[in-house]
PDB file of all heavy atoms in Angstrom:
ATOM      1  N   GLN A   1     -51.801  -9.726 -26.942  1.00  0.00           N
ATOM      2  CA  GLN A   1     -50.713  -9.496 -27.878  1.00  0.00           C
ATOM      3  C   GLN A   1     -49.713  -8.543 -27.337  1.00  0.00           C
ATOM      4  O   GLN A   1     -48.505  -8.692 -27.641  1.00  0.00           O
ATOM      5  CB  GLN A   1     -51.394  -8.996 -29.241  1.00  0.00           C
ATOM      6  CG  GLN A   1     -52.152 -10.007 -29.961  1.00  0.00           C
ATOM      7  CD  GLN A   1     -52.819  -9.450 -31.240  1.00  0.00           C
ATOM      8  OE1 GLN A   1     -52.154  -8.604 -31.907  1.00  0.00           O
ATOM      9  NE2 GLN A   1     -54.013  -9.966 -31.612  1.00  0.00           N
ATOM     10  N   VAL A   2     -50.157  -7.531 -26.571  1.00  0.00           N
ATOM     11  CA  VAL A   2     -49.213  -6.592 -25.973  1.00  0.00           C
ATOM     12  C   VAL A   2     -48.363  -7.325 -25.012  1.00  0.00           C
ATOM     13  O   VAL A   2     -47.062  -7.135 -25.066  1.00  0.00           O
ATOM     14  CB  VAL A   2     -49.977  -5.479 -25.254  1.00  0.00           C
ATOM     15  CG1 VAL A   2     -48.996  -4.578 -24.515  1.00  0.00           C
ATOM     16  CG2 VAL A   2     -50.801  -4.673 -26.224  1.00  0.00           C
ATOM     17  N   ILE A   3     -48.933  -8.153 -24.175  1.00  0.00           N
ATOM     18  CA  ILE A   3     -48.105  -8.928 -23.201  1.00  0.00           C
ATOM     19  C   ILE A   3     -47.104  -9.866 -23.897  1.00  0.00           C
ATOM     20  O   ILE A   3     -45.938  -9.916 -23.518  1.00  0.00           O
ATOM     21  CB  ILE A   3     -49.043  -9.737 -22.303  1.00  0.00           C
ATOM     22  CG1 ILE A   3     -49.874  -8.801 -21.436  1.00  0.00           C
ATOM     23  CG2 ILE A   3     -48.218 -10.736 -21.453  1.00  0.00           C
ATOM     24  CD1 ILE A   3     -50.927  -9.467 -20.602  1.00  0.00           C
ATOM     25  N   ALA A   4     -47.546 -10.536 -24.976  1.00  0.00           N
ATOM     26  CA  ALA A   4     -46.668 -11.402 -25.693  1.00  0.00           C
ATOM     27  C   ALA A   4     -45.468 -10.597 -26.343  1.00  0.00           C
ATOM     28  O   ALA A   4     -44.391 -11.114 -26.339  1.00  0.00           O
ATOM     29  CB  ALA A   4     -47.455 -12.067 -26.857  1.00  0.00           C
ATOM     30  N   ARG A   5     -45.776  -9.419 -26.727  1.00  0.00           N
ATOM     31  CA  ARG A   5     -44.700  -8.574 -27.273  1.00  0.00           C
ATOM     32  C   ARG A   5     -43.724  -8.175 -26.199  1.00  0.00           C
ATOM     33  O   ARG A   5     -42.506  -8.228 -26.369  1.00  0.00           O
ATOM     34  CB  ARG A   5     -45.274  -7.310 -27.889  1.00  0.00           C
ATOM     35  CG  ARG A   5     -44.340  -6.501 -28.763  1.00  0.00           C
ATOM     36  CD  ARG A   5     -44.382  -6.909 -30.198  1.00  0.00           C
ATOM     37  NE  ARG A   5     -43.437  -6.242 -31.054  1.00  0.00           N
ATOM     38  CZ  ARG A   5     -43.584  -6.171 -32.410  1.00  0.00           C
ATOM     39  NH1 ARG A   5     -44.680  -6.620 -32.928  1.00  0.00           N
ATOM     40  NH2 ARG A   5     -42.603  -5.610 -33.106  1.00  0.00           N
ATOM     41  N   PHE A   6     -44.262  -7.772 -25.039  1.00  0.00           N
ATOM     42  CA  PHE A   6     -43.382  -7.435 -23.981  1.00  0.00           C
ATOM     43  C   PHE A   6     -42.522  -8.652 -23.559  1.00  0.00           C
ATOM     44  O   PHE A   6     -41.289  -8.493 -23.307  1.00  0.00           O
ATOM     45  CB  PHE A   6     -44.194  -7.045 -22.753  1.00  0.00           C
ATOM     46  CG  PHE A   6     -44.828  -5.659 -22.821  1.00  0.00           C
ATOM     47  CD1 PHE A   6     -45.845  -5.315 -21.990  1.00  0.00           C
ATOM     48  CD2 PHE A   6     -44.457  -4.769 -23.886  1.00  0.00           C
ATOM     49  CE1 PHE A   6     -46.440  -3.992 -22.051  1.00  0.00           C
ATOM     50  CE2 PHE A   6     -45.033  -3.536 -23.959  1.00  0.00           C
ATOM     51  CZ  PHE A   6     -45.988  -3.156 -23.040  1.00  0.00           C
ATOM     52  N   GLU A   7     -43.102  -9.838 -23.476  1.00  0.00           N
ATOM     53  CA  GLU A   7     -42.337 -10.985 -23.099  1.00  0.00           C
ATOM     54  C   GLU A   7     -41.194 -11.284 -24.088  1.00  0.00           C
ATOM     55  O   GLU A   7     -40.063 -11.632 -23.734  1.00  0.00           O
ATOM     56  CB  GLU A   7     -43.320 -12.176 -22.972  1.00  0.00           C
ATOM     57  CG  GLU A   7     -44.243 -12.120 -21.819  1.00  0.00           C
ATOM     58  CD  GLU A   7     -45.250 -13.306 -21.857  1.00  0.00           C
ATOM     59  OE1 GLU A   7     -45.518 -13.803 -22.924  1.00  0.00           O
ATOM     60  OE2 GLU A   7     -45.783 -13.611 -20.740  1.00  0.00           O
ATOM     61  N   ARG A   8     -41.508 -11.156 -25.327  1.00  0.00           N
ATOM     62  CA  ARG A   8     -40.517 -11.392 -26.366  1.00  0.00           C
ATOM     63  C   ARG A   8     -39.360 -10.379 -26.243  1.00  0.00           C
ATOM     64  O   ARG A   8     -38.206 -10.731 -26.439  1.00  0.00           O
ATOM     65  CB  ARG A   8     -41.125 -11.259 -27.811  1.00  0.00           C
ATOM     66  CG  ARG A   8     -40.215 -11.793 -28.899  1.00  0.00           C
ATOM     67  CD  ARG A   8     -40.804 -11.450 -30.266  1.00  0.00           C
ATOM     68  NE  ARG A   8     -40.583 -10.080 -30.630  1.00  0.00           N
ATOM     69  CZ  ARG A   8     -41.035  -9.456 -31.748  1.00  0.00           C
ATOM     70  NH1 ARG A   8     -41.743 -10.188 -32.610  1.00  0.00           N
ATOM     71  NH2 ARG A   8     -40.784  -8.253 -31.918  1.00  0.00           N
ATOM     72  N   ILE A   9     -39.694  -9.097 -25.951  1.00  0.00           N
ATOM     73  CA  ILE A   9     -38.676  -8.081 -25.868  1.00  0.00           C
ATOM     74  C   ILE A   9     -37.754  -8.430 -24.680  1.00  0.00           C
ATOM     75  O   ILE A   9     -36.519  -8.306 -24.766  1.00  0.00           O
ATOM     76  CB  ILE A   9     -39.298  -6.705 -25.629  1.00  0.00           C
ATOM     77  CG1 ILE A   9     -40.010  -6.277 -26.970  1.00  0.00           C
ATOM     78  CG2 ILE A   9     -38.194  -5.670 -25.263  1.00  0.00           C
ATOM     79  CD1 ILE A   9     -40.824  -5.006 -26.809  1.00  0.00           C
ATOM     80  N   ILE A  10     -38.353  -8.748 -23.534  1.00  0.00           N
ATOM     81  CA  ILE A  10     -37.529  -9.060 -22.364  1.00  0.00           C
ATOM     82  C   ILE A  10     -36.700 -10.279 -22.522  1.00  0.00           C
ATOM     83  O   ILE A  10     -35.495 -10.304 -22.179  1.00  0.00           O
ATOM     84  CB  ILE A  10     -38.506  -9.282 -21.162  1.00  0.00           C
ATOM     85  CG1 ILE A  10     -39.131  -7.907 -20.695  1.00  0.00           C
ATOM     86  CG2 ILE A  10     -37.742  -9.881 -19.949  1.00  0.00           C
ATOM     87  CD1 ILE A  10     -40.172  -8.084 -19.640  1.00  0.00           C
ATOM     88  N   GLU A  11     -37.247 -11.327 -23.140  1.00  0.00           N
ATOM     89  CA  GLU A  11     -36.503 -12.583 -23.415  1.00  0.00           C
ATOM     90  C   GLU A  11     -35.357 -12.389 -24.402  1.00  0.00           C
ATOM     91  O   GLU A  11     -34.410 -13.093 -24.398  1.00  0.00           O
ATOM     92  CB  GLU A  11     -37.421 -13.667 -23.929  1.00  0.00           C
ATOM     93  CG  GLU A  11     -38.457 -14.089 -22.875  1.00  0.00           C
ATOM     94  CD  GLU A  11     -39.547 -14.972 -23.390  1.00  0.00           C
ATOM     95  OE1 GLU A  11     -39.691 -15.034 -24.659  1.00  0.00           O
ATOM     96  OE2 GLU A  11     -40.290 -15.558 -22.606  1.00  0.00           O
ATOM     97  N   GLY A  12     -35.489 -11.294 -25.277  1.00  0.00           N
ATOM     98  CA  GLY A  12     -34.450 -11.089 -26.256  1.00  0.00           C
ATOM     99  C   GLY A  12     -33.325 -10.238 -25.832  1.00  0.00           C
ATOM    100  O   GLY A  12     -32.366 -10.020 -26.546  1.00  0.00           O
ATOM    101  N   ARG A  13     -33.350  -9.730 -24.631  1.00  0.00           N
ATOM    102  CA  ARG A  13     -32.226  -8.944 -24.173  1.00  0.00           C
ATOM    103  C   ARG A  13     -31.540  -9.594 -22.926  1.00  0.00           C
ATOM    104  O   ARG A  13     -32.178 -10.328 -22.199  1.00  0.00           O
ATOM    105  CB  ARG A  13     -32.760  -7.525 -23.717  1.00  0.00           C
ATOM    106  CG  ARG A  13     -33.702  -7.518 -22.625  1.00  0.00           C
ATOM    107  CD  ARG A  13     -34.488  -6.164 -22.527  1.00  0.00           C
ATOM    108  NE  ARG A  13     -35.241  -6.034 -21.330  1.00  0.00           N
ATOM    109  CZ  ARG A  13     -36.213  -5.131 -21.098  1.00  0.00           C
ATOM    110  NH1 ARG A  13     -36.434  -4.247 -22.053  1.00  0.00           N
ATOM    111  NH2 ARG A  13     -36.878  -5.097 -20.019  1.00  0.00           N
ATOM    112  N   ASP A  14     -30.248  -9.401 -22.823  1.00  0.00           N
ATOM    113  CA  ASP A  14     -29.496 -10.117 -21.840  1.00  0.00           C
ATOM    114  C   ASP A  14     -29.423  -9.357 -20.534  1.00  0.00           C
ATOM    115  O   ASP A  14     -28.348  -8.728 -20.185  1.00  0.00           O
ATOM    116  CB  ASP A  14     -28.113 -10.457 -22.385  1.00  0.00           C
ATOM    117  CG  ASP A  14     -27.313 -11.368 -21.466  1.00  0.00           C
ATOM    118  OD1 ASP A  14     -27.899 -12.020 -20.616  1.00  0.00           O
ATOM    119  OD2 ASP A  14     -26.049 -11.378 -21.591  1.00  0.00           O
ATOM    120  N   ARG A  15     -30.460  -9.319 -19.686  1.00  0.00           N
ATOM    121  CA  ARG A  15     -30.514  -8.602 -18.465  1.00  0.00           C
ATOM    122  C   ARG A  15     -30.826  -9.534 -17.287  1.00  0.00           C
ATOM    123  O   ARG A  15     -31.066  -9.008 -16.210  1.00  0.00           O
ATOM    124  CB  ARG A  15     -31.453  -7.442 -18.552  1.00  0.00           C
ATOM    125  CG  ARG A  15     -31.068  -6.337 -19.608  1.00  0.00           C
ATOM    126  CD  ARG A  15     -32.038  -5.197 -19.504  1.00  0.00           C
ATOM    127  NE  ARG A  15     -31.939  -4.354 -20.705  1.00  0.00           N
ATOM    128  CZ  ARG A  15     -32.808  -3.358 -20.923  1.00  0.00           C
ATOM    129  NH1 ARG A  15     -33.747  -3.051 -20.011  1.00  0.00           N
ATOM    130  NH2 ARG A  15     -32.717  -2.599 -22.026  1.00  0.00           N
ATOM    131  N   ASN A  16     -30.910 -10.764 -17.509  1.00  0.00           N
ATOM    132  CA  ASN A  16     -31.221 -11.703 -16.346  1.00  0.00           C
ATOM    133  C   ASN A  16     -32.537 -11.283 -15.703  1.00  0.00           C
ATOM    134  O   ASN A  16     -32.646 -11.102 -14.486  1.00  0.00           O
ATOM    135  CB  ASN A  16     -30.096 -11.690 -15.316  1.00  0.00           C
ATOM    136  CG  ASN A  16     -30.226 -12.786 -14.264  1.00  0.00           C
ATOM    137  OD1 ASN A  16     -30.827 -13.858 -14.591  1.00  0.00           O
ATOM    138  ND2 ASN A  16     -29.784 -12.532 -13.113  1.00  0.00           N
ATOM    139  N   GLU A  17     -33.588 -11.174 -16.520  1.00  0.00           N
ATOM    140  CA  GLU A  17     -34.895 -10.734 -16.063  1.00  0.00           C
ATOM    141  C   GLU A  17     -35.934 -11.826 -16.087  1.00  0.00           C
ATOM    142  O   GLU A  17     -35.746 -12.853 -16.708  1.00  0.00           O
ATOM    143  CB  GLU A  17     -35.417  -9.550 -16.848  1.00  0.00           C
ATOM    144  CG  GLU A  17     -34.482  -8.302 -16.814  1.00  0.00           C
ATOM    145  CD  GLU A  17     -34.895  -7.245 -17.837  1.00  0.00           C
ATOM    146  OE1 GLU A  17     -34.634  -7.490 -19.004  1.00  0.00           O
ATOM    147  OE2 GLU A  17     -35.431  -6.230 -17.396  1.00  0.00           O
ATOM    148  N   THR A  18     -37.114 -11.564 -15.520  1.00  0.00           N
ATOM    149  CA  THR A  18     -38.259 -12.439 -15.562  1.00  0.00           C
ATOM    150  C   THR A  18     -39.422 -11.716 -16.331  1.00  0.00           C
ATOM    151  O   THR A  18     -39.444 -10.522 -16.286  1.00  0.00           O
ATOM    152  CB  THR A  18     -38.771 -12.840 -14.217  1.00  0.00           C
ATOM    153  OG1 THR A  18     -39.986 -13.657 -14.308  1.00  0.00           O
ATOM    154  CG2 THR A  18     -39.000 -11.639 -13.329  1.00  0.00           C
ATOM    155  N   THR A  19     -40.219 -12.500 -16.971  1.00  0.00           N
ATOM    156  CA  THR A  19     -41.423 -11.932 -17.628  1.00  0.00           C
ATOM    157  C   THR A  19     -42.677 -12.000 -16.832  1.00  0.00           C
ATOM    158  O   THR A  19     -43.769 -11.642 -17.272  1.00  0.00           O
ATOM    159  CB  THR A  19     -41.657 -12.704 -18.981  1.00  0.00           C
ATOM    160  OG1 THR A  19     -41.923 -14.059 -18.646  1.00  0.00           O
ATOM    161  CG2 THR A  19     -40.446 -12.534 -19.911  1.00  0.00           C
ATOM    162  N   ASP A  20     -42.491 -12.402 -15.601  1.00  0.00           N
ATOM    163  CA  ASP A  20     -43.716 -12.589 -14.684  1.00  0.00           C
ATOM    164  C   ASP A  20     -44.506 -11.293 -14.536  1.00  0.00           C
ATOM    165  O   ASP A  20     -45.709 -11.276 -14.554  1.00  0.00           O
ATOM    166  CB  ASP A  20     -43.305 -13.032 -13.305  1.00  0.00           C
ATOM    167  CG  ASP A  20     -42.751 -14.474 -13.351  1.00  0.00           C
ATOM    168  OD1 ASP A  20     -43.009 -15.161 -14.399  1.00  0.00           O
ATOM    169  OD2 ASP A  20     -42.178 -14.943 -12.385  1.00  0.00           O
ATOM    170  N   ASN A  21     -43.790 -10.150 -14.408  1.00  0.00           N
ATOM    171  CA  ASN A  21     -44.481  -8.910 -14.140  1.00  0.00           C
ATOM    172  C   ASN A  21     -45.386  -8.415 -15.266  1.00  0.00           C
ATOM    173  O   ASN A  21     -46.416  -7.941 -15.048  1.00  0.00           O
ATOM    174  CB  ASN A  21     -43.509  -7.793 -13.793  1.00  0.00           C
ATOM    175  CG  ASN A  21     -42.819  -7.998 -12.396  1.00  0.00           C
ATOM    176  OD1 ASN A  21     -43.101  -8.965 -11.659  1.00  0.00           O
ATOM    177  ND2 ASN A  21     -42.017  -7.062 -11.986  1.00  0.00           N
ATOM    178  N   VAL A  22     -44.864  -8.554 -16.526  1.00  0.00           N
ATOM    179  CA  VAL A  22     -45.607  -7.993 -17.618  1.00  0.00           C
ATOM    180  C   VAL A  22     -46.876  -8.719 -17.890  1.00  0.00           C
ATOM    181  O   VAL A  22     -47.807  -8.211 -18.598  1.00  0.00           O
ATOM    182  CB  VAL A  22     -44.769  -7.967 -18.873  1.00  0.00           C
ATOM    183  CG1 VAL A  22     -43.550  -7.038 -18.756  1.00  0.00           C
ATOM    184  CG2 VAL A  22     -44.329  -9.356 -19.349  1.00  0.00           C
ATOM    185  N   ARG A  23     -47.044  -9.926 -17.347  1.00  0.00           N
ATOM    186  CA  ARG A  23     -48.231 -10.631 -17.519  1.00  0.00           C
ATOM    187  C   ARG A  23     -49.493 -10.027 -16.791  1.00  0.00           C
ATOM    188  O   ARG A  23     -50.646 -10.312 -17.041  1.00  0.00           O
ATOM    189  CB  ARG A  23     -48.111 -12.137 -16.989  1.00  0.00           C
ATOM    190  CG  ARG A  23     -47.065 -12.915 -17.819  1.00  0.00           C
ATOM    191  CD  ARG A  23     -46.736 -14.229 -17.159  1.00  0.00           C
ATOM    192  NE  ARG A  23     -45.608 -14.841 -17.812  1.00  0.00           N
ATOM    193  CZ  ARG A  23     -45.014 -15.910 -17.400  1.00  0.00           C
ATOM    194  NH1 ARG A  23     -45.352 -16.487 -16.286  1.00  0.00           N
ATOM    195  NH2 ARG A  23     -43.992 -16.477 -18.125  1.00  0.00           N
ATOM    196  N   PHE A  24     -49.145  -9.092 -15.875  1.00  0.00           N
ATOM    197  CA  PHE A  24     -50.190  -8.374 -15.162  1.00  0.00           C
ATOM    198  C   PHE A  24     -50.559  -7.050 -15.823  1.00  0.00           C
ATOM    199  O   PHE A  24     -51.332  -6.258 -15.321  1.00  0.00           O
ATOM    200  CB  PHE A  24     -49.733  -8.111 -13.724  1.00  0.00           C
ATOM    201  CG  PHE A  24     -49.684  -9.369 -12.900  1.00  0.00           C
ATOM    202  CD1 PHE A  24     -48.618 -10.156 -12.880  1.00  0.00           C
ATOM    203  CD2 PHE A  24     -50.811  -9.724 -12.116  1.00  0.00           C
ATOM    204  CE1 PHE A  24     -48.520 -11.313 -12.118  1.00  0.00           C
ATOM    205  CE2 PHE A  24     -50.745 -10.851 -11.344  1.00  0.00           C
ATOM    206  CZ  PHE A  24     -49.619 -11.661 -11.345  1.00  0.00           C
ATOM    207  N   TRP A  25     -49.925  -6.774 -16.982  1.00  0.00           N
ATOM    208  CA  TRP A  25     -50.140  -5.497 -17.729  1.00  0.00           C
ATOM    209  C   TRP A  25     -51.663  -5.347 -18.035  1.00  0.00           C
ATOM    210  O   TRP A  25     -52.259  -6.298 -18.521  1.00  0.00           O
ATOM    211  CB  TRP A  25     -49.320  -5.412 -18.940  1.00  0.00           C
ATOM    212  CG  TRP A  25     -49.414  -4.088 -19.676  1.00  0.00           C
ATOM    213  CD1 TRP A  25     -48.664  -2.996 -19.469  1.00  0.00           C
ATOM    214  CD2 TRP A  25     -50.322  -3.727 -20.743  1.00  0.00           C
ATOM    215  NE1 TRP A  25     -49.027  -1.979 -20.344  1.00  0.00           N
ATOM    216  CE2 TRP A  25     -50.026  -2.471 -21.118  1.00  0.00           C
ATOM    217  CE3 TRP A  25     -51.300  -4.451 -21.387  1.00  0.00           C
ATOM    218  CZ2 TRP A  25     -50.744  -1.743 -22.145  1.00  0.00           C
ATOM    219  CZ3 TRP A  25     -52.005  -3.794 -22.442  1.00  0.00           C
ATOM    220  CH2 TRP A  25     -51.733  -2.479 -22.749  1.00  0.00           C
ATOM    221  N   LYS A  26     -52.247  -4.206 -17.783  1.00  0.00           N
ATOM    222  CA  LYS A  26     -53.689  -3.991 -18.048  1.00  0.00           C
ATOM    223  C   LYS A  26     -54.032  -2.897 -18.995  1.00  0.00           C
ATOM    224  O   LYS A  26     -54.914  -3.008 -19.767  1.00  0.00           O
ATOM    225  CB  LYS A  26     -54.374  -3.672 -16.698  1.00  0.00           C
ATOM    226  CG  LYS A  26     -54.306  -4.792 -15.666  1.00  0.00           C
ATOM    227  CD  LYS A  26     -55.096  -4.519 -14.451  1.00  0.00           C
ATOM    228  CE  LYS A  26     -54.461  -3.425 -13.589  1.00  0.00           C
ATOM    229  NZ  LYS A  26     -53.133  -3.866 -12.990  1.00  0.00           N
ATOM    230  N   SER A  27     -53.184  -1.787 -19.037  1.00  0.00           N
ATOM    231  CA  SER A  27     -53.500  -0.735 -19.952  1.00  0.00           C
ATOM    232  C   SER A  27     -52.246   0.194 -20.038  1.00  0.00           C
ATOM    233  O   SER A  27     -51.359   0.028 -19.251  1.00  0.00           O
ATOM    234  CB  SER A  27     -54.692   0.098 -19.435  1.00  0.00           C
ATOM    235  OG  SER A  27     -54.462   0.765 -18.260  1.00  0.00           O
ATOM    236  N   THR A  28     -52.307   1.175 -20.863  1.00  0.00           N
ATOM    237  CA  THR A  28     -51.203   2.126 -21.044  1.00  0.00           C
ATOM    238  C   THR A  28     -51.039   2.993 -19.809  1.00  0.00           C
ATOM    239  O   THR A  28     -49.949   3.452 -19.489  1.00  0.00           O
ATOM    240  CB  THR A  28     -51.350   2.964 -22.228  1.00  0.00           C
ATOM    241  OG1 THR A  28     -52.446   3.855 -22.076  1.00  0.00           O
ATOM    242  CG2 THR A  28     -51.510   2.159 -23.550  1.00  0.00           C
ATOM    243  N   GLY A  29     -52.173   3.254 -19.106  1.00  0.00           N
ATOM    244  CA  GLY A  29     -52.149   4.214 -18.036  1.00  0.00           C
ATOM    245  C   GLY A  29     -51.850   5.622 -18.469  1.00  0.00           C
ATOM    246  O   GLY A  29     -51.602   6.498 -17.665  1.00  0.00           O
ATOM    247  N   VAL A  30     -52.031   5.936 -19.706  1.00  0.00           N
ATOM    248  CA  VAL A  30     -51.826   7.264 -20.317  1.00  0.00           C
ATOM    249  C   VAL A  30     -53.126   7.770 -20.933  1.00  0.00           C
ATOM    250  O   VAL A  30     -53.468   7.342 -22.055  1.00  0.00           O
ATOM    251  CB  VAL A  30     -50.649   7.274 -21.357  1.00  0.00           C
ATOM    252  CG1 VAL A  30     -50.491   8.714 -21.870  1.00  0.00           C
ATOM    253  CG2 VAL A  30     -49.385   6.759 -20.771  1.00  0.00           C
ATOM    254  N   PRO A  31     -53.913   8.533 -20.233  1.00  0.00           N
ATOM    255  CA  PRO A  31     -55.235   9.015 -20.809  1.00  0.00           C
ATOM    256  C   PRO A  31     -55.097   9.762 -22.060  1.00  0.00           C
ATOM    257  O   PRO A  31     -55.917   9.588 -22.995  1.00  0.00           O
ATOM    258  CB  PRO A  31     -55.802   9.884 -19.639  1.00  0.00           C
ATOM    259  CG  PRO A  31     -55.126   9.403 -18.418  1.00  0.00           C
ATOM    260  CD  PRO A  31     -53.736   9.017 -18.800  1.00  0.00           C
TER     261      PRO A  31
END
């Protein structure tokens, strides 16, 4: 669900980006 949200955010802004990277998201990285 986090990845899906990231993909939606990226797709909704006009920055000529790809969503490939966020599919590898694993955790917040903030202990």
